[in-house]
Amino acid sequence: NVDFSQTPTYRLVYCYSYDKPLPDNLPEEQDKLWRIKRTEQGLRVTCNGVTVLDVVLSDQLCDDSDWKDRWNREISNVYFDRYDTASISYRTTAQGAERTSCGG
C-alpha cells in the first residue's frame, strides 16, 4: 500500500499494519516508473532506477504472526484499489522458474 500524500508512505500488508514514510531519496521527476520486486529476503522498490526501499522481512520487523505463510505464497494477482489516482498503467513480468521464499 503506497500513499502519495505530502509525505509519501507505504505499508507492507501481512507484515505490519501501520504506515511508514518512504525514504527521502525519491527522484525529482514528475513521471515516475516504479518497480516492485519480491526478493528472496523480502521486497525491493525502485523508482526511475533508484532503489528507494529494500526490506528484509523477519519476525523482528513483522507484527503479523502469519507473515511467513502470506509472503511465501505464489503471487496470483496485482490489485489497485479504487482510490488509486496516481497509476496510469502497470504490467507484470515473469519471475522465472525459480521460486523465492521470504524469511524461510
Side-chain angles (χ1 to χ4, degrees):
N1 180 10
V2 178
D3 179 11
F4 291 107
S5 56
Q6 182 66 27
T7 302
T9 61
Y10 71 98
R11 180 183 314 165
L12 297 179
V13 178
Y14 301 118
C15 177
Y16 43 81
S17 55
Y18 51 91
D19 293 345
K20 290 186 173 189
L22 277 171
D24 293 335
N25 64 338
L26 294 180
E28 295 289 326
E29 296 89 353
Q30 177 71 23
D31 293 333
K32 293 180 172 49
L33 175 63
W34 295 86
R35 175 170 283 160
I36 303 167
K37 180 179 182 180
R38 190 167 80 182
T39 65
E40 212 172 291
Q41 298 83 19
L43 189 77
R44 180 175 302 125
V45 178
T46 61
C47 180
N48 294 359
V50 175
T51 299
V52 295
L53 197 61
D54 200 352
V55 178
V56 175
L57 299 176
S58 68
D59 288 332
Q60 290 76 30
L61 175 70
C62 298
D63 59 19
D64 186 320
S65 61
D66 202 28
W67 75 268
K68 281 184 187 177
D69 178 54
R70 296 287 191 153
W71 278 86
N72 284 309
R73 293 180 182 177
E74 288 290 329
I75 298 170
S76 61
N77 60 36
V78 177
Y79 173 74
F80 290 83
D81 69 25
R82 62 187 170 126
Y83 301 107
D84 175 16
T85 58
S87 301
I88 296 170
S89 65
Y90 75 92
R91 68 183 169 119
T92 60
T93 58
Q95 186 77 17
E98 293 183 31
R99 168 88 166 93
T100 59
S101 175
C102 298

